[in-house]
Amino acid sequence: MTTLLEVSGVSVTFDGFRAINNLSIQIAEPELRAVIGPNGAGKTTFMDIVTGKTRPDEGRVIWGEKSVSLLGMSESEIARAGIGRKFQKPTVFEDQTVRENLAMALKNKRGPFDVLFYRRTRHAATRIGEIAQEIGLLEQLPKRAGALSHGQKQWLEIGMLLAQDPRLLLVDEPAAGMTPAEREHTTDLLKRAAKTRAVVVIEHDMEFVRRLGCKVTVLHEGSVLAEGSLDHVTKNQEVIDVYLGR
Ligand SMILES: Nc1ncnc2c1ncn2[C@@H]1O[C@H](COP(=O)(O)OP(=O)(O)OP(=O)(O)O)[C@@H](O)[C@H]1O
Ligand SMILES: [Mg+2]
């Protein structure tokens, strides 16, 4: 395991309010990491900083073995560097089939592989099958995306991100609005995805976080309050006071 993402000493102020305060987080490759913490702790803002949506006032965000700074890069450059992000609301193309949605995502795949058209088309059918299998939508491939359940749409969107082959996948509250069975499937999916890449998951549902079975970072007032196994951080009195004991 080597460090893929290194956030250090990052601060962000919105209209005089310090939403992120000297935040430092390291993510390895591969790794599955859960980020928890009370509302307004800065979890989503952390992802906004990594993806270039929000620019920090100070600190460093370093990426990859070449230690490139992400701070000088645009959102699309950061995405092309291998950082994919899943937002809460699924943004699949409802009138297209599951297969077409995945095909579109593959077409937009970053990297030099795209140049070879014939290889890409031969490869695409195989890849679509693999991704559909991975997200559990193999039987839904010919279905219109609009006909999928809320959970299935979320998985399709994760599949579309996987099609881009990101080295780091950022996922903000994936379990929101899902049934218990869909939540279980989602934890399995994310665990599988994290075998070959870095996956960072923000989630409030402790049952979900327990099932992920990974290292947990607790954010509070824009900084790391505790880090370690779920058992470790849930024993921390400060974590109980600000988050668990609410
Ligand atoms: N663009 C913005 N402009 C002004 N304030 C912002 C902006 N983005 C976030 N904030 C503020 O920064 C703080 C952290 O917000 P953030 O959305 O990162 O919290 P969070 O940990 O994701 O919370 P939740 O669990 O509710 O999603 C909040 O007080 C929020 O109101
Ligand atoms: Mg949030």
Side-chain angles (χ1 to χ4, degrees), residues 102 105 125 151 243:
L102 290 174
Y243 187 48

Side-chain angles (χ1 to χ4, degrees), residues 225-236:
L225 184 63
E227 203 164 67
S229 69
L230 185 61
D231 284 335
H232 172 78
V233 301
T234 53
K235 278 191 199 112
N236 182 307

Side-chain angles (χ1 to χ4, degrees), residues 12-15 17-20 35-48 53-54 88 172-173 202-204 219 221-222 243 246:
V12 179
T13 305
F14 296 115
D15 307 318
F17 172 72
R18 214 162 232 248
I20 297 291
V35 177
I36 64 173
N39 296 114
K43 304 181 296 296
T44 300
T45 307
F46 157 66
M47 289 192 175
D48 290 344
K53 193 175 166 217
T54 295
Q88 245 173 279
D172 199 346
E173 300 195 32
I202 295 173
E203 190 49 68
H204 282 292
L219 289 195
E221 295 178 345
Y243 187 48
R246 291 169 309 166

Side-chain angles (χ1 to χ4, degrees), residues 100 175 179 185:
E100 286 163 344
T179 65
H185 179 100

Side-chain angles (χ1 to χ4, degrees), residues 192-213:
R192 258 198 316 271
K195 289 218 164 83
T196 51
R197 57 175 67 75
V199 178
V200 179
V201 186
I202 295 173
E203 190 49 68
H204 282 292
D205 180 352
M206 282 301 136
E207 182 78 29
F208 189 94
V209 174
R210 181 161 300 282
R211 272 186 66 91
L212 287 178

